[in-house]
Amino acid sequence: MITEHALLPVIPGREVEFERAFTTARAIISSIPGFRSLTLARSIESPSTYLLLVEWERLDDHTIGFRQSASYQEWRALLHHFYEPFPLVEHFQTVP
């Protein structure tokens, strides 16, 4: 299993709009083969920053299966205009 980690810096004042759009985006990503779960959390100290954690079966499920799909284009259109700057996405693997 792979965990995708992203800190999402939402433009201040657009948090409510972002959260509404994310409701639709959640349905998009959860339909992708290899998707396992998703958590979105809002920072208490920095309320315009969100933590996105997505669990995937394999790295390729995210980097190829999702990012190279038409579904990703929908995700991107819904969410990417909320970020400033664009988030860094990293992938983590559980240490045995």
Side-chain angles (χ1 to χ4, degrees), residues 72-81:
Y72 181 72
Q73 299 310 312
E74 292 178 62
W75 168 277
R76 194 171 90 181
L78 277 168
L79 300 176
H80 285 196
H81 61 280

Side-chain angles (χ1 to χ4, degrees), residues 1-2 8 17-18 20-21 29-30 47 53 61 83 87-88 95-96:
M1 180 187 70
I2 300 297
L8 308 177
E17 186 183 358
F18 167 73
R20 273 192 237 127
I29 197 170
S30 66
L53 298 173
D61 293 330
Y83 308 137
L88 172 66
V95 177

Side-chain angles (χ1 to χ4, degrees), residues 3-11 18 22 39-54 62 67 75 79-80 82-92:
T3 301
E4 170 193 355
H5 167 281
L7 286 177
L8 308 177
V10 172
I11 297 167
F18 167 73
F22 199 89
T39 302
L40 180 68
R42 189 173 182 180
S43 172
I44 294 168
E45 291 81 10
S46 303
S48 294
T49 301
Y50 292 79
L51 172 62
L52 174 65
L53 298 173
V54 183
H62 178 230
R67 285 206 178 153
W75 168 277
L79 300 176
H80 285 196
F82 289 108
Y83 308 137
E84 184 59 44
F86 194 77
L88 172 66
V89 176
E90 294 186 340
H91 300 92
F92 294 81

Side-chain angles (χ1 to χ4, degrees), residues 1-4 28-38 53-67 69 91:
M1 180 187 70
I2 300 297
T3 301
E4 170 193 355
I28 292 169
I29 197 170
S30 66
S31 70
I32 301 298
F35 170 88
R36 295 184 73 184
S37 69
L38 178 150
L53 298 173
V54 183
E55 291 184 349
W56 298 96
E57 293 287 335
R58 301 172 308 119
L59 180 61
D60 286 353
D61 293 330
H62 178 230
T63 58
I64 296 171
F66 180 49
R67 285 206 178 153
S69 71
H91 300 92

